[in-house]
Amino acid sequence: MAAQQALENQLLQATQMIESQVDAEIERIEKMDDDDLEALRQKRMIAMKKAAEQKQEWMAAGHGEYSEVADEKEFFDACKKSKKVVCHFYRDSTFRCKIVDKHLTEIARKHLETKFIKINAERSKFLVDRLRIKTLPTICLAKDGKTTDYIVGFDDLGGTDDFPTVMLEWRLGRSDMINYSGDLLEPPVNAKKSKGYSKVFGKPVASRNLRDDGDSDTDDDY
């Protein structure tokens, strides 16, 4: 009972604080004269215009869709044109790459601030070697033209094939690749802490032989 009462008191205090902040904002607005209101309106109009211009720039650069780049040159061009790039290294015969395709297609539509692309690992040997990609699927995360992180297989996503899209969104948010609105400290679902989960989380992983991830307990060499 004591714990419940303490919780109720905390909730009451939080509610009162929010109400006080709202009341203070209403009072501030009510005290504004016409010049203040016009200045506020102009400020908001400028912000809206900048946001619209930024959206147009993103759309012109191919943001808002999940597309394939044909070769290394197109990959580097994408990284030069966009501040944030998420690139999926895939292979047609790897089942888990199809799962990644499905999730990234959905995420790309929601997060215009980031460029989402895919590249065939078998046709981009130079890039695969340069980035030390050893397992498929691998999602390469690049900011300002530099690779900053990798999502290798599904360990960071709960270690299961049926993870929800929001789990990948959360992981991308942890690496500051998208504007994630949820809690970055905790995954949105109960992630399975599979082998290596905490070690590879949010950091580039060590090199391994290129192979398919998750096809069996013993991964096949590429």
Side-chain angles (χ1 to χ4, degrees):
M1 291 295 294
Q4 182 177 354
Q5 184 63 44
L7 178 60
E8 291 177 354
N9 289 337
Q10 291 177 355
L11 292 174
L12 179 61
Q13 291 175 4
T15 301
Q16 291 174 339
M17 182 179 297
I18 294 173
E19 290 177 348
S20 297
Q21 292 173 347
V22 172
D23 290 341
E25 181 64 16
I26 293 174
E27 184 178 358
R28 184 183 71 83
I29 294 175
E30 288 178 345
K31 289 181 178 179
M32 286 183 172
D33 56 26
D34 291 342
D35 290 340
D36 291 332
L37 290 173
E38 179 62 21
L40 180 60
R41 189 183 74 84
Q42 289 294 333
K43 184 177 180 180
R44 289 178 176 174
M45 289 294 292
I46 292 173
M48 290 174 62
K49 183 178 179 181
K50 287 183 177 180
E53 291 174 348
Q54 178 67 83
K55 182 178 180 180
Q56 289 298 321
E57 290 180 7
W58 285 335
M59 296 294 286
H63 292 218
E65 62 181 7
Y66 176 53
S67 58
E68 181 165 0
V69 295
D71 51 32
E72 287 94 341
K73 182 180 182 301
E74 289 190 12
F75 170 84
F76 290 118
D77 286 344
C79 291
K80 289 178 181 178
K81 293 178 181 178
S82 300
K83 180 179 177 63
K84 297 181 180 181
V85 176
V86 172
C87 182
H88 169 210
F89 284 81
Y90 80 97
R91 177 170 49 192
D92 285 327
S93 61
T94 301
F95 172 71
R96 280 190 162 185
C97 290
K98 308 297 184 184
I99 297 175
V100 172
D101 285 342
K102 181 191 69 159
H103 292 298
L104 289 184
T105 297
E106 182 177 341
I107 295 173
R109 296 192 189 107
K110 295 169 58 179
H111 293 277
L112 297 181
E113 68 274 13
T114 303
K115 173 79 170 177
F116 289 86
I117 58 177
K118 61 188 290 189
I119 189 168
N120 191 313
E122 293 180 313
R123 300 175 185 170
S124 50
K125 298 293 188 181
F126 168 77
L127 196 55
V128 165
D129 291 341
R130 177 170 176 174
L131 299 180
R132 297 196 303 171
I133 292 172
K134 303 297 180 182
T135 301
L136 299 177
T138 286
I139 302 175
C140 173
L141 312 181
K143 288 194 292 185
D144 298 316
K146 298 179 181 179
T147 55
T148 59
D149 198 359
Y150 300 91
I151 303 174
V152 180
F154 289 175
D155 282 352
D156 285 9
L157 307 173
T160 178
D161 288 356
D162 60 353
F163 65 89
T165 301
V166 68
M167 190 68 181
L168 180 52
E169 283 187 280
W170 171 78
R171 180 60 179 81
L172 293 172
R174 287 281 301 194
S175 293
D176 191 32
M177 293 305 298
I178 62 172
N179 298 330
Y180 181 72
S181 59
D183 183 2
L184 289 173
L185 298 180
E186 293 291 336
V189 295
N190 292 327
K192 175 184 176 183
K193 294 190 177 298
S194 54
K195 183 178 179 181
Y197 179 85
S198 61
K199 293 182 180 179
V200 303
F201 175 74
K203 299 179 181 178
V205 298
S207 297
R208 292 173 286 180
N209 291 331
L210 188 57
R211 60 179 185 265
D212 292 346
D213 177 74
D215 289 343
S216 63
D217 291 336
T218 303
D219 293 322
D220 297 329
D221 288 341
Y222 176 63

